Amino acid sequence: MPLINIEKMIKRYPIGGREFTALNEIDLQFERGEFCGLIGPSGSGKTTLLNIIGSLDVPSEGRITVLGKGVEGLSAQEAARLRREHMGFIFQTYNLLPVYSVFENIEFPLLLMHMGSRERKKKVINALEWVGLSDKTDSKPAQLSGGEAQRVAIARAMVKQPELVLADEPTANLDADNSYNILKMMSRLNEELKTTFIFATHDEKVIGYLKRKIFLIDGRVAKDETVN
Amino acid sequence: MIKFLIKGLIRDRSRSLFPVLIVAAGVFLMVFLYSWMQGVMGDMVSSNAQFNTGHVKIMTRAYEELAQQRPNDLAILGVNKVLEQMRNSEEKMIWTPRTHFGGLLDIPDENGETRTQGPVMGLAVDLLSQNSPEIKILNLTKALVKGKLPQQKNEILISEEFAQELGIQLGAQATLISSTMNGAMATHNFTIAGTVCFGITAMDKGAIIVGIKDIQAALDMPDGAGEIVGYSKNMLYDERAMKELTQNFNENYSRADDEFSPVMVSLREQNGLAEYLDVARSRVNVIIFIFLLAMSIVLWNSGLMNNLRRYGEIGVRLAMGEPKGSLYRYMIYESIFIGFIGSILGTLLGLAISYYFQYRGFDMGYLMKSSTMLISNVMRARVTETSYVIGFVPGLFAPTLGAIMAGIGIYRRQTAQLFKELEV
Ligand SMILES: Nc1ncnc2c1ncn2[C@@H]1O[C@H](COP(=O)(O)OP(=O)(O)OP(=O)(O)O)[C@@H](O)[C@H]1O
Ligand SMILES: [Mg+2]
């Protein structure tokens, strides 16, 4: 059974009495351990699709199951639980909580899972090692460079070792070197921990790393190719 | 988790310190305004009670009808008997006779010719009898500016301002020219024992204070007095108790067919004070209500904004799988916490300042130069039980309401929508 199964999914947005179809008849499967990207021009529906996979939004029609659960039928609480236990998010703008230290930012998802403090500490230290920021434990987000901030965000998404990480334009605010580093880091984590990564991107540097490329145009899957 | 959130709250001053300060400032203003208004109202009552109305007053029925004119021809005769009776039957009260009178005060030169004279407003009270309550009621010891309190017959006090105006020295002779109870011309010689200042413009302009025995002699009203005033021993005006007392007295002693039978009226029923108090009180209530409303809107709004500003943080927390319900709860706890701390601080500060102004007072005499109202120039706040709680209405409930409204926004919106708002 695939990790994510999407069948004939449609997403429409009401705009001023009319309806706009952002995603049209999407049929997709994702397997465990994939490292793949949703690629397409601005407005093609990448973020919309990612949000639905992340149970932040619901489809208008069709079915989508994530980890065996039908997203369209989940209550808000069940959706929150699914995200809390099985998913990590990485954003274009990092979105670290500014008043908390690097350590505390990474700790937050574990607190939501009611994990004990000793175990939390162990996991946070581990995650900091993965992203090579063990020396920035006590820094505040404002004291970090863009690349470092995004690495903290990756550690925050990875710390609970979720099955699935969703990243919306994670490199859009980074220069070439930082983008390169971050992708290498994520592809390593993908290999070591078997975490599934799904990106939304139109960044060539990211596209080069992907093992599977799904091209979206006007809310439809135009091409779906796997790199060997 | 809670510890984690509190840590964040304390570190983020724009979420903790500033809202607390805003709430505290609003609450402080509320508490102080309220106490101040209460003080001004209470002061009006107590000044009137002190110099004029008593908590209750006994007069003849005829005198009462014309009470504004102080018709001494209609005074109570046989005052001592009435006093004794009242003192025996109403032990919780202080009873004392008074006569108000008007006239000219004439200051002679060494040849006995008029040097200067001026109209006076006289108040005759029991100055000399042992344990006379008037020294305390009129606060004479404190009001004394120069000289001493009268120790013997025919010694009087005059207001300091008046004394300066007329150039009267201590120990000088003064002749009161007035009319007797029967309408004949009366003159009587007095000695100035001291000068007084009450801090009440109406009393300080041209008042003299005379012994009741002397005025009985001067105005030819043996054992008579215009009025007998009564005060609760604790000096606090209790409207209900005074009403009851008045009713009892009037049922027992007042007879409609005898215009010289006594009648008792309470403070509220005199000088149109009832209407005045009611109007003033309702004005004060309106002012306080409007202020309360305005304060509440300000604090409500700041509660709302504080939370709307946090869509970013809220979006991240939702994405990481924090349930909406728990987020909403924390938001409300947070604003209750902020509101509570702010209200306590504001109330403490408000009470402190109010207590300060309750004891120290604030001299507004220069604003009341021509006042004829019996209102003290020194404005005081008065802390009542309500002062302790009134600040919590805008301080605690308004920001919490704001947080609840902001939270409803979170609830109504699709998670993805909040999430988008955080991205821009
Ligand atoms: N809440 C909404 N209401 C109405 N239309 C929306 C809403 N969200 C997205 N859309 C529309 O759906 C389409 C797809 O949006 P989406 O954000 O998925 O694009 P995208 O591929 O992520 O673009 P970009 O590369 O610019 O991030 C767009 O045309 C957008 O205008
Ligand atoms: Mg997008």
Side-chain angles (χ1 to χ4, degrees):
Chain A
M1 188 177 139
L3 184 75
I4 299 164
N5 187 24
I6 303 173
E7 283 172 31
K8 290 208 165 27
M9 192 190 73
I10 300 175
K11 177 67 183 179
R12 295 190 197 92
Y13 288 114
I15 11 174
R18 301 202 18 250
E19 292 217 311
F20 174 80
T21 307
L23 291 174
N24 208 346
E25 304 258 339
I26 303 284
D27 281 301
L28 281 172
Q29 277 80 42
F30 296 87
E31 299 298 333
R32 229 166 261 275
E34 284 202 51
F35 197 74
C36 68
L38 310 171
I39 303 160
S42 185
S44 56
K46 305 182 294 290
T47 298
T48 305
L49 180 53
L50 213 59
N51 281 347
I52 293 174
I53 294 173
S55 73
L56 292 167
D57 211 343
V58 288
S60 312
E61 267 177 49
R63 287 180 46 77
I64 165 167
T65 53
V66 176
L67 293 150
K69 293 208 165 66
V71 168
E72 66 276 1
L74 290 184
S75 70
Q77 278 204 341
E78 288 164 336
R81 178 158 180 194
L82 182 67
R83 290 196 295 276
R84 188 163 69 232
E85 293 178 352
H86 304 290
M87 296 183 194
F89 285 83
I90 297 169
F91 313 94
Q92 175 179 338
T93 50
Y94 327 134
N95 286 317
L96 301 177
L97 302 176
V99 292
Y100 295 107
S101 69
V102 165
F103 185 97
E104 289 162 340
N105 264 283
I106 300 172
E107 187 186 18
F108 187 70
L110 303 179
L111 279 165
L112 287 177
M113 297 169 80
H114 303 289
M115 194 176 281
S117 83
R118 184 150 350 133
E119 203 182 345
R120 284 201 310 264
K121 193 167 176 194
K122 216 172 74 192
K123 293 207 177 225
V124 173
I125 289 172
N126 238 336
L128 278 163
E129 263 168 33
W130 294 335
V131 298
L133 283 174
S134 302
D135 55 336
K136 298 279 182 192
T137 315
D138 296 323
S139 302
K140 288 280 163 62
Q143 299 163 330
L144 302 175
S145 72
E148 286 167 341
Q150 195 60 303
R151 274 144 73 194
V152 174
I154 292 170
R156 179 175 67 180
M158 294 297 303
V159 68
K160 63 191 175 196
Q161 303 193 16
E163 277 93 338
L164 178 62
V165 170
L166 303 171
D168 196 351
E169 319 261 10
T171 57
N173 288 354
L174 299 177
D175 60 24
D177 279 358
N178 273 312
S179 303
Y180 172 79
N181 276 331
I182 275 175
L183 275 158
K184 236 172 67 180
M185 192 171 287
M186 288 195 281
S187 97
R188 199 187 72 229
L189 289 167
N190 167 252
E191 266 156 30
E192 285 173 10
L193 304 172
K194 298 284 169 270
T195 310
T196 309
F197 279 80
I198 303 177
F199 297 91
T201 188
H202 49 241
D203 182 347
E204 290 300 330
K205 300 185 290 290
V206 178
I207 295 168
Y209 266 90
L210 298 174
K211 294 179 191 152
R212 178 183 176 194
K213 301 168 188 173
I214 299 162
F215 292 90
L216 289 181
I217 293 173
D218 288 341
R220 288 177 186 275
V221 177
K223 197 159 70 167
D224 182 351
E225 58 179 41
T226 306
V227 184
N228 293 309
Chain B
M1 181 76 181
I2 291 196
K3 222 168 91 189
F4 185 83
L5 293 173
I6 290 176
K7 201 154 42 172
L9 180 63
I10 291 168
R11 280 189 209 158
D12 186 355
R13 292 203 181 161
S14 67
R15 259 167 71 205
S16 51
L17 184 64
F18 300 134
V20 164
L21 290 182
I22 290 171
V23 171
V27 167
F28 160 70
L29 283 176
M30 189 69 237
V31 172
F32 183 61
L33 177 80
Y34 177 81
S35 305
W36 184 257
M37 292 291 201
Q38 294 306 309
V40 172
M41 298 281 304
D43 210 60
M44 210 112 70
V45 173
S46 64
S47 303
N48 262 293
Q50 206 182 351
F51 292 101
N52 185 357
T53 61
H55 291 165
V56 292
K57 185 191 276 185
I58 302 171
M59 298 162 275
T60 64
R61 293 178 71 95
Y63 183 102
E64 197 259 333
E65 265 171 35
L66 303 170
Q68 296 288 353
Q69 302 165 23
R70 315 285 190 196
N72 283 331
D73 52 329
L74 305 173
I76 309 169
L77 297 177
V79 169
N80 278 327
K81 216 180 93 198
V82 182
L83 272 174
E84 198 180 295
Q85 198 175 335
M86 291 317 293
R87 283 172 184 153
N88 289 335
S89 63
E90 298 295 339
E91 297 192 329
K92 286 206 193 89
M93 302 284 292
I94 298 167
W95 300 98
T96 185
R98 284 184 182 173
T99 299
H100 293 264
F101 60 93
L104 271 179
L105 199 65
D106 183 293
I107 314 294
D109 59 16
E110 57 271 24
N111 304 323
E113 308 275 338
T114 295
R115 180 168 66 80
T116 177
Q117 55 177 213
V120 289
M121 216 176 61
L123 177 61
V125 302
D126 181 2
L127 286 174
L128 299 180
S129 73
Q130 252 182 349
N131 55 44
S132 159
E134 291 283 24
I135 312 291
K136 229 172 107 190
I137 294 171
L138 296 177
N139 218 346
L140 285 177
T141 318
K142 216 172 142 200
L144 193 69
V145 179
K146 287 188 205 127
K148 56 182 174 53
L149 294 182
Q151 310 289 329
Q152 41 187 304
K153 256 175 80 159
N154 294 331
E155 285 188 340
I156 63 170
L157 297 169
I158 71 173
S159 79
E160 167 72 14
E161 203 178 313
F162 188 56
Q164 280 179 6
E165 229 165 76
L166 298 189
I168 306 174
Q169 304 298 319
L170 289 183
Q173 293 291 308
T175 308
L176 173 71
I177 304 165
S178 184
S179 57
T180 69
M181 162 173 196
N182 308 313
M185 168 126 164
T187 59
H188 195 91
N189 290 333
F190 292 106
T191 309
I192 313 289
T195 64
V196 283
C197 175
F198 292 102
I200 293 175
T201 306
M203 282 301 290
D204 288 335
K205 271 191 302 199
I208 63 176
I209 296 187
V210 181
I212 189 107
K213 289 255 159 56
D214 299 338
I215 219 68
Q216 283 170 353
L219 304 188
D220 193 18
M221 47 196 297
D223 201 16
E227 329 174 325
I228 293 172
V229 284
Y231 295 90
S232 312
K233 281 204 165 129
N234 62 10
M235 286 316 268
L236 293 176
Y237 178 60
D238 177 345
E239 203 156 299
R240 201 134 36 102
M242 292 306 114
K243 196 171 167 196
E244 208 171 292
L245 177 65
T246 309
Q247 273 169 357
N248 273 341
F249 180 91
N250 290 339
E251 267 166 35
N252 287 334
Y253 299 105
S254 199
R255 291 193 311 278
D257 56 350
D258 179 359
E259 62 171 351
F260 286 99
S261 68
V263 64
M264 186 188 282
V265 291
S266 68
L267 176 148
R268 221 187 118 75
E269 296 160 309
Q270 300 176 54
N271 297 359
L273 222 53
E275 292 82 41
Y276 183 77
L277 280 183
D278 288 346
V279 169
R281 205 165 276 163
S282 71
R283 291 257 164 85
V284 164
N285 286 344
V286 167
I287 292 172
I288 286 173
F289 181 75
I290 289 173
F291 192 76
L292 194 72
L293 209 66
M295 222 57 240
S296 297
I297 289 171
V298 167
L299 295 179
W300 167 73
N301 196 43
S302 97
L304 189 67
M305 294 316 290
N306 274 334
N307 287 294
L308 291 183
R309 229 171 25 80
R310 292 169 60 196
Y311 267 13
E313 179 199 338
I314 288 163
V316 180
R317 283 166 64 174
L318 286 174
M320 285 196 276
E322 185 168 349
K324 275 186 183 179
S326 106
L327 221 140
Y328 186 41
R329 255 195 321 277
Y330 282 124
M331 258 169 80
I332 288 165
Y333 290 160
E334 183 177 316
S335 88
I336 290 177
F337 180 73
I338 299 275
F340 192 66
I341 304 268
S343 299
I344 289 191
L345 287 179
T347 300
L348 284 179
L349 188 65
L351 288 176
I353 304 274
S354 302
Y355 270 121
Y356 177 81
F357 280 111
Q358 179 166 331
Y359 294 113
R360 279 296 308 267
F362 182 72
D363 195 343
M364 309 245 279
Y366 61 93
L367 287 178
M368 311 194 195
K369 281 244 151 37
S370 58
S371 164
T372 53
M373 277 198 301
L374 278 177
I375 177 167
S376 168
N377 292 345
V378 180
M379 294 291 197
R380 282 172 201 285
R382 180 159 158 206
V383 176
T384 68
E385 282 149 23
T386 312
S387 306
Y388 282 80
V389 292
I390 195 162
F392 284 81
V393 176
L396 186 57
F397 296 111
T400 304
L401 194 69
I404 287 172
M405 307 274 295
I408 288 172
I410 291 178
Y411 248 96
R412 285 268 180 80
R413 251 170 257 223
Q414 280 293 327
T415 308
Q417 198 53 39
L418 283 165
F419 202 56
K420 275 194 183 127
E421 278 160 37
L422 95 105
E423 300 240 311
V424 287

